């Protein structure tokens, strides 16, 4: 009895409050257990604890200044390029990709390095991760109200500093708010959990002796999948931005068989106005993209994104842009802001 109660005292808090998964630097063997239905907590936990050659997951963080002239993106992968074609190796999975845009240059800094191992732990809904040997890590509070990316990589990347986020927009899944039993599938075989749709971000970096600091909008999500990305996805238009009191996240894509899937999220002053997986229309224009999100009260949020800065591009199949965003609820006040936008188009390859 004594031992049993001691054991439960010692084990239960550990299991509930913090679990740590360690990844080796190379692809796992065997099958991956992949999660697509949400739990009542552990929002930002790992969704695959054994990544093999056909599965992948990543933690993504970005921040963009209000005028769109600065941005930073840090992505922590557990993904061989046999599962996600834009990472650097078929055998090494633990790449960290860091890119920085400044007013001087759209691609002021771009570098990918591989970790020797990675640990991810979950505390409540938040997660923390260390990609050993890269100097990059992230830590989130248990309620996801704040996240910080710490870059201590003078040796391997020539960069030190932090990206700090104070959330201003509640977390959501593709079709719902943060709740148990919700689908986490953006489309078949692709998972998505958006811990921080928008935040007040403070970025302070030193790169090879030069200081870069800005404030703006910060964002964090994770994606994962149980088959190679390009076998699941045909097209993908995703982005997020802020307009006055509104925080927006949109997705409009097609699966391999051409079926459309969408997701739209609008919050205002820290409360969700709408989160659903229909009624989103992202269309290309001569200067960027038009984004339409149908809201539950039958109004429409309309925004125009300008592809002002090309931050990444691969083979005409993948682009990442930052740029200006203009819009508001149709017929209502119009605002200006900035946004990040990713396009995958495997039909053009
Ligand atoms: C990887 O895991 C997935 C999901 O369990 C499974 O379908 C697939 O066959 C596995 N791939 C390999 C190469 O073992
Ligand atoms: C992350 O860790 C740093 C350094 O220990 C700490 O200052 C910061 O408050 C932590 N942030 C969160 C969101 O837990
Ligand atoms: C960058 O900022 C840090 C902290 O404010 C300061 O200690 C350092 O001297 C600055 N470096 C340069 C090159 O200005
Ligand atoms: C999306 O917008 C385009 C261009 O305005 C329009 O032709 C199309 O019908 C719209 N689709 C939906 C589903 O609203």
């Amino acid at each position: 009895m004594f031992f049993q109660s001691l054991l439960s005292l010692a084990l239960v808090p550990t299991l509930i409050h913090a679990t740590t998964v360690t990844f080796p630097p190379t692809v796992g063997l065997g099958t991956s257990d992949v999660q697509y239905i949400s739990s009542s907590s552990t929002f930002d936990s790992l969704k695959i604890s054994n990544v093999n050659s056909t599965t992948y997951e990543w933690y993504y963080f970005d921040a963009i200044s209000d005028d769109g002239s600065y941005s930073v993106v840090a992505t922590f992968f557990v993904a061989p390029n046999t599962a996600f074609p834009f990472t650097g190796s078929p055998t090494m999975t633990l790449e960290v990709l860091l890119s920085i845009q400044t007013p001087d240059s759209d691609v002021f800094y771009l570098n990918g390095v591989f970790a020797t191992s990675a640990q991810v732990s979950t505390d409540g809904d938040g997660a923390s991760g260390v990609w050993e040997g890269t100097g990059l890590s992230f830590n989130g509070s248990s309620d996801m109200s704040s996240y910080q990316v710490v870059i201590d990589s003078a040796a391997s990347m020539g960069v030190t500093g932090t990206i700090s986020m104070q959330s201003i927009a509640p977390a959501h899944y593709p079709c719902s708010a943060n709740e148990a039993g919700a689908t986490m599938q953006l489309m078949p075989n692709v998972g998505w959990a958006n811990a921080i749709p928008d935040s007040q971000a403070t970025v302070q970096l030193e790169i090879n002796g030069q200081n870069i600091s800005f404030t703006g909008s910060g964002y964090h999500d994770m994606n994962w999948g149980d088959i190679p990305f390009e076998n699941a996805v045909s097209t993908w238009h995703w982005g997020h931005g802020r307009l006055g009191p509104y925080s927006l996240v949109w997705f409009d894509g097609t699966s391999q068989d051409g079926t459309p899937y969408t997701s739209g999220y609008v919050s205002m002053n820290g409360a969700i106005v709408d989160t659903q997986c229909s009624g989103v229309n992202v269309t290309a224009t001569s200067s960027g993209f038009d984004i339409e999100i149908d809201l539950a009260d039958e109004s429409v949020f309309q925004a125009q994104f300008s592809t002002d800065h090309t931050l990444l591009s691969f083979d005409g199949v993948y682009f990442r842009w930052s740029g200006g965003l203009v819009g508001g609820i149709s017929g209502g006040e119009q605002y200006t802001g900035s946004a990040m936008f990713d396009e995958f188009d495997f039909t053009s390859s």
Side-chain angles (χ1 to χ4, degrees), residues 143-182:
D143 62 357
M144 301 185 288
S145 61
S146 61
Y147 263 81
Q148 190 165 51
V149 177
V150 178
I151 304 169
D152 184 8
S153 192
S156 71
M157 299 180 101
V159 186
T160 58
T162 53
I163 305 167
S164 301
M165 302 188 184
Q166 299 293 326
S167 181
I168 61 163
H172 73 111
Y173 293 117
C175 302
S176 71
N178 176 13
E179 62 193 27

Side-chain angles (χ1 to χ4, degrees), residues 30-32 52-55 226:
T31 59
S32 306
N52 68 26
S53 63
T54 56
T55 61
D226 63 335

Side-chain angles (χ1 to χ4, degrees), residues 81-92:
N81 69 9
T82 49
F84 185 67
F86 307 102
T87 49
S89 166
T91 51
M92 306 291 282

Side-chain angles (χ1 to χ4, degrees), residues 204-206 208-212:
Q204 285 183 303
L205 301 172
E206 188 172 341
N208 300 321
Q210 184 174 341
N211 276 338
I212 290 169

Side-chain angles (χ1 to χ4, degrees), residues 69-73 98-111 157-160 205-214 309-312 322:
S69 68
Y70 285 93
S71 71
V72 58
V73 180
L98 181 67
S99 64
I100 299 164
Q101 169 205 347
T102 69
D104 293 336
S105 171
D106 289 353
V107 190
F108 181 80
Y109 181 92
L110 173 63
N111 201 356
M157 299 180 101
V159 186
T160 58
L205 301 172
E206 188 172 341
I207 302 160
N208 300 321
Q210 184 174 341
N211 276 338
I212 290 169
S213 40
F214 64 93
H309 308 284
T310 302
L311 308 182
L312 276 182
S322 66

